[in-house]
Amino acid sequence: MAESAPPSAGPIPLELPAGVHQLCRCGRSRHGWICDGAHLGSGWVSRELRLDQASSVMVCGCGLSHRYPLCDGRHARSAGRRRWWRWWA
Ligand code: FES
């Protein structure tokens, strides 16, 4: 399978209101970064994010993060294998 290029080479800001959010890790959600339960049966689980106040969080646009879908700064390092490139396949 050919690997598609991600839409961004760096982090993407995501504005979220205060509260508990479930972020998509499987790439199947029809609501982008927000989990809609489509991961059921995939072996993946969403990443819970608790915010005390409305915040801008940085999601990974390079496919290298080990904290996906959140950016962990690996976009600034030398090239590596994209861990979750299927997001853009
Ligand atoms: S955008 Fe920062 S680790 Fe991917």
Side-chain angles (χ1 to χ4, degrees), residues 8-12 58-67 69-76 84 88:
S8 167
I12 302 166
M58 301 307 257
V59 293
C60 177
C62 75
L64 297 173
S65 176
H66 288 201
R67 291 180 56 224
L70 301 174
C71 169
D72 68 356
R74 279 184 168 73
H75 60 271
W84 47 300
W88 300 287

Side-chain angles (χ1 to χ4, degrees), residues 2-56:
E3 183 173 332
S4 299
S8 167
I12 302 166
L14 177 65
E15 304 293 332
L16 293 172
V20 179
H21 305 279
Q22 299 294 332
L23 300 181
C24 178
R25 293 177 69 204
C26 72
R28 294 180 175 180
S29 175
R30 288 165 296 211
H31 300 289
W33 300 107
I34 306 302
C35 174
D36 67 357
H39 62 270
L40 293 177
S42 71
W44 290 86
V45 294
S46 60
R47 179 178 292 273
E48 184 174 287
L49 187 63
R50 294 176 181 269
L51 298 175
D52 293 334
Q53 59 187 15
S55 302
S56 177

